[in-house]
Amino acid sequence: MNQPPVIAIDGPTASGKGTVAMHVANHLGFHYLDSGALYRLVALASQQNGISPSDYGALGELALTMQIEFKNGLVFLGNLDVTEAIRDESIGVLASQIAVYPEVRDALLALQRGFRRSPGLVADGRDMASRIFTNALLKVFLTASVEARAERRYKQLIAKGISARMNVLLQDLQERDARDIQRATAPLKQAEGAYLLDTSKLSVDQAVEQVLSWYQVASRK
Ligand code: C5P
């Protein structure tokens, strides 16, 4: 059976892959999966339920049973709008800590694959190409230098009125990169067959154009 096409965009924290993925999805009229949001939801739900970050059994169970919904650009956990709450830096750090457990990753597998619906899906994360959608029509590894990423994150936070320090952000990104790259289960890496897109010196529009042009070529094959 022909499955709807998937564009898998993986990359490190704050590489801009979410923004690029969303623009590509909008342009093509495709669905969009922000898989990082799922790990963030597990992190937030674990905090709310008083589950220890090392209790992988309970975390896996939570990932299977949590009630979540993505609606009109908002994210709900149960009846609660948690769109802002899951973006907190502390939740990002906790998400990357619990994402090392196979119990959590396995629990989110079917949920993620369920986002593949007609006419197509753009999925962003760490293991979209290497594990979740191995038969994606297009695989992109989107990255940027750690300095460029820290600067982008800094500007985002300041624009939101949140105070931030460059050296703290840099260190946080490096630690998160190390955890994502070094973990045994589904580590962050450029998947076989994935195009490398370094956005350090590219605008969002340029990065989106590049992905769209690769997609055009891939869908003609
Ligand atoms: O992409 P984002 O920063 O929202 O993801 C939060 C954390 O979730 C990441 O630091 C990473 O450890 C984890 N994650 C993952 N696999 C994915 C998406 C996110 O391990 N597919």
Side-chain angles (χ1 to χ4, degrees):
M1 201 184 76
N2 256 352
Q3 289 180 301
V6 173
I7 299 178
I9 304 184
D10 292 301
T13 299
S15 55
K17 63 188 175 347
T19 309
V20 172
M22 224 181 311
H23 278 79
V24 170
N26 281 341
H27 187 92
L28 296 170
F30 280 14
H31 301 281
Y32 167 58
L33 167 63
D34 168 9
S35 63
L38 301 179
Y39 289 89
R40 288 170 181 268
L41 281 162
V42 180
L44 184 67
S46 74
Q47 248 184 9
Q48 289 176 350
N49 289 282
I51 296 172
S52 154
S54 58
D55 188 350
Y56 48 83
L59 290 167
E61 189 59 32
L62 183 66
L64 273 182
T65 53
M66 63 181 185
Q67 295 296 315
I68 62 164
E69 200 183 356
F70 294 88
K71 205 164 67 183
N72 305 325
L74 299 176
V75 187
F76 292 88
L77 181 59
N79 297 324
L80 222 63
D81 177 356
V82 295
T83 317
E84 285 293 317
I86 59 165
R87 293 297 143 205
D88 196 275
E89 285 298 296
S90 67
I91 293 297
V93 171
L94 184 57
S96 92
Q97 288 166 351
I98 63 167
V100 302
Y101 299 124
E103 288 77 3
V104 173
R105 308 200 71 84
D106 289 350
L108 294 177
L109 199 79
L111 180 62
Q112 293 176 88
R113 289 190 177 143
F115 280 81
R116 185 178 206 160
R117 292 192 302 268
S118 191
L121 175 70
V122 182
D124 93 58
R126 306 293 187 288
D127 60 346
M128 297 299 98
S130 62
R131 179 151 196 241
I132 310 297
F133 302 108
T134 48
N135 62 353
L137 187 59
L138 174 65
K139 298 179 177 182
V140 178
F141 191 75
L142 192 151
T143 188
S145 69
V146 70
E147 291 78 12
R149 291 186 282 131
E151 204 177 308
R152 283 177 197 165
R153 178 60 50 95
Y154 180 82
K155 283 183 184 155
Q156 275 172 1
L157 291 172
I158 297 298
K160 281 197 215 158
I162 303 170
S163 71
R165 296 219 319 267
M166 259 312 259
N167 58 340
V168 176
L169 288 177
L170 254 177
Q171 192 185 344
D172 175 48
L173 282 183
Q174 280 160 341
E175 281 171 12
R176 253 200 270 184
D177 281 357
R179 248 196 314 272
D180 285 352
I181 292 165
Q182 288 162 12
R183 70 174 170 233
T185 312
L188 171 68
K189 62 165 188 235
Q190 186 176 348
E192 215 182 301
Y195 289 95
L196 179 66
L197 183 55
D198 185 332
T199 65
S200 304
K201 297 197 172 77
L202 296 185
S203 66
V204 172
D205 284 350
Q206 287 171 321
V208 170
E209 263 172 44
Q210 178 61 79
V211 175
L212 287 172
S213 88
W214 280 332
Y215 179 70
Q216 269 172 8
V217 174
S219 49
R220 265 191 245 123
K221 278 184 191 162

